[in-house]
Amino acid sequence: MLSLAVCPVVIIRGGEVSLRPQKGEVVAGVPTEENEAEAVLDFAFRAAAAHGVPLRAARAWDLPAMFTNRSGVLGLSNRPGELEGEHRRELIALLKPWRRRYPDIAVTEHLELGFAAEMLVSLAAGAQLLVVGRSLRTGSRYVGHVVHSTLHFANAPIAVVPTK
């Protein structure tokens, strides 16, 4: 059972195997939780190195609740652009030690405003492997909405990496 696995599990959905990329990149869905991000990046970099392919480190972000569509609030501020820059700086800093450890792996940072599951399903279409994280919850069968969505809709093999 995926929700109880203590090691990474790779799942390959049915479908047209011939349509899946043979030499596509590894896409890592990089969460904001540090332990989960480290586990995902460790697996993703090792997979990219083993297969000699590039890595795309992808993170979705959203506007804080105060910037939602309330009358005029968003139009009064340039903060959303600043927020994207802050998320990019965080991702670059998180990737820095991994780039030093794996200098031969071409890494692309990918940031998108929106939902992580939608972004990852879209990116998986050109990927050799999609890597996502899952928090370990004692006694729970819940794998998380991002894992659940990618398992149902992503057209690539999916590595689900558990974290503490």
Side-chain angles (χ1 to χ4, degrees), residues 147-162:
V147 171
H148 186 261
S149 296
T150 56
L151 289 175
H152 282 281
F153 302 108
N155 191 21
I158 302 160
V160 181
V161 181

Side-chain angles (χ1 to χ4, degrees), residues 68-103:
T68 56
N69 292 329
R70 286 187 291 172
S71 178
V73 174
L74 188 57
L76 296 177
S77 174
N78 188 31
R79 186 95 168 111
E82 294 174 22
L83 287 171
E84 181 175 359
E86 182 59 31
H87 285 286
R88 183 170 302 283
R89 284 187 290 279
E90 285 176 15
L91 184 56
I92 289 169
L94 187 62
L95 291 169
K96 191 173 186 175
W98 295 100
R99 284 184 156 130
R100 277 197 304 266
R101 203 171 306 154
Y102 293 92

Side-chain angles (χ1 to χ4, degrees), residues 21-39:
Q22 299 300 309
K23 274 302 208 180
E25 64 191 358
V26 170
V27 173
V30 184
T32 55
E33 297 83 17
E34 191 171 335
N35 287 343
E36 197 171 328
E38 291 292 325

